[in-house]
Amino acid sequence: MNAFLKSAAFALGLTFAAGAASATNYWVDYGVTLNARSGPGTNYHVIGTFSSCSKVNVVGYSHGWAKIQYNHSYYWVSAKYLQDHACNTGYAPKKKGGGYGNNY
């Protein structure tokens, strides 16, 4: 990727990872079923879900969405429903606010 494209990506708030070695482990928030989408936004198709406390590898971000690698495939999830520590039975989930259903 040349310097111009890197600058453009930075200006747009995109982060690219060099590969799986630079992935960061995160877990789906306790009590959340998280939609896995084909792109970074609710306008993209839901192609699967991740259960509460599932471990995922984040490889990039775009405007509040995390690109994750899972079982040799890539998906997009809302980054606000990821936590940087594994769930445990004593963990109290943070309040999510109003809303109906899990359409994240």
Side-chain angles (χ1 to χ4, degrees):
M1 188 180 292
N2 65 37
F4 175 76
L5 289 177
K6 287 182 183 177
S7 296
F10 180 76
L12 290 173
L14 303 176
T15 304
F16 296 98
S22 58
T24 304
N25 291 329
Y26 281 88
W27 290 262
V28 176
D29 279 347
Y30 179 82
V32 171
T33 299
L34 189 59
N35 286 333
R37 297 183 177 273
S38 58
T42 56
N43 55 316
Y44 289 90
H45 294 289
V46 174
I47 52 179
T49 59
F50 289 97
S51 300
S52 175
C53 301
S54 295
K55 182 179 176 182
V56 296
N57 295 308
V58 175
V59 296
Y61 292 93
S62 178
H63 305 288
W65 291 84
K67 183 177 183 179
I68 62 169
Q69 181 182 27
Y70 187 83
N71 285 343
H72 309 292
S73 294
Y74 293 93
Y75 307 94
W76 288 89
V77 299
S78 177
K80 68 182 177 181
Y81 298 103
L82 298 177
Q83 58 191 26
D84 62 358
H85 57 277
C87 297
N88 62 51
T89 56
Y91 177 73
K94 55 188 169 189
K95 297 209 184 261
K96 303 289 184 223
Y100 300 96
N102 288 337
N103 194 19
Y104 312 122

